[in-house]
Each structure stands twice: as C-alpha cells, then as structure tokens.
Amino acid sequence: MDRKRFSVTYFLRKARTNKAGLTPILARITTNGISKEIYIQCSVPADKWNQSKERATGKDKLCQQVNSYLDEYRARILAVRQELIAKGYEGNCIQIKERLQNPSTLSIMFVAELEKYCNKRQTEVGVRITQLTANKYHRVLRYLKEYVAAHYKKNVVTYRPICGYIFQLA
C-alpha cells in the first residue's frame, strides 16, 4: 500500500507587509512532496508571529481571532481532503486548493451548457428564430472555445466535473 504524506503549515509573507504593519498569512498544503500555497485572507503583525508554533503570540483580541481563524481554516482543509477521499479522489493539494478557492457546489460546465443552449436554439430555427441568429449562438460558442484554448492553454473538450469543480484529465 502506498503511503500518502499530508501536511498543512502556516507562514508569513513578509514581503507583502502593508502600511498598517500587518503581514498576510499563507497556508502551505503539501501532499506527497507537492505543495501549494493559499492566501487565507488573514493578517497579523510580523512581531506577533511565532513560526515554530505557527500561531500569533499575544493576549490581545487580534491574536486570539487570528488563532481561532487558523484553527477553523485547518479544520476546513482537513474536511475538504476527507470529502475528496470519501468520493474516491486522490485528495491532493491541487484538488484541495481548487475546492477551497471555489466553494460553489455547482458542477455545471459553462461551455457544455452553452453548447446545449446552442443546440436547443438550432431546433427552433424556422419556428422562433432564423438560421442567422442560430449561427450567431454557435459563433459565440466557437469563440469561447478558442479563447479558452489560447488564453488558458487548455482544451475545453478535456475537462470534466469532479466534486463540483473542473479538473483537467490526465
């Protein structure tokens, strides 16, 4: 049986300290030697951060809120990983990051839905719309596919929904 390694660590991005003196905290999710970093939308003064404990030090309200948020975020990461594993997926850091950054549960692929709509409009030619109008819908679909292929360097056909998110097939 293959052993899977998993860890979550927090650290400060000191190069991004704002004018108020707050430094953003990042979460690094590592699975089997591959790591991804996520901004967790939480900041703390750099002098009140203990890296060995991965916690904010201090008794003030800000430090207590930051520490409770870090606990909640770690629990959310673990819950997402368990959910992915329960559904039969690998639960690697890439999937976890996608799930955390896109919390919507819809698994509708926009291009696929647009294609269905274009086909529906094609059946209405002569009844509700003209062929020229149907061609415009298909042109928009073609342009969208070309844009995704050029801008994201991904082929639209190679995508499928996984747990409400879109991942590229290997």
Side-chain angles (χ1 to χ4, degrees), residues 20-53:
L22 297 176
T23 307
I25 302 172
L26 274 76
R28 180 179 287 146
I29 303 169
T30 306
T31 49
N32 296 332
I34 300 171
S35 64
K36 291 291 176 186
E37 297 173 357
I38 303 172
Y39 279 102
I40 63 170
Q41 307 302 320
C42 188
S43 298
V44 69
D47 60 338
K48 291 190 175 186
W49 180 256
N50 184 345
Q51 185 57 48
S52 63
K53 293 182 180 179

Side-chain angles (χ1 to χ4, degrees), residues 48-95:
K48 291 190 175 186
W49 180 256
N50 184 345
Q51 185 57 48
S52 63
K53 293 182 180 179
E54 297 176 8
R55 312 288 285 171
T57 59
K59 304 273 185 188
D60 60 340
K61 189 173 182 178
L62 175 67
C63 291
Q64 290 176 354
Q65 288 175 345
V66 166
N67 288 336
S68 66
Y69 185 76
L70 293 176
D71 292 337
E72 291 172 13
Y73 203 82
R74 186 182 304 268
R76 194 174 351 158
I77 290 171
L78 295 173
V80 166
R81 182 172 184 259
Q82 288 301 320
E83 180 183 338
L84 288 170
I85 290 172
K87 290 186 178 183
Y89 300 107
E90 187 178 349
N92 61 21
C93 58
I94 298 168
Q95 293 172 344

Side-chain angles (χ1 to χ4, degrees), residues 76 80 97-106 163-165:
R76 194 174 351 158
V80 166
K97 181 178 178 178
E98 288 291 326
R99 179 68 187 259
L100 288 170
Q101 290 181 337
N102 301 320
S104 67
T105 57
L106 296 175
C163 300
Y165 302 97

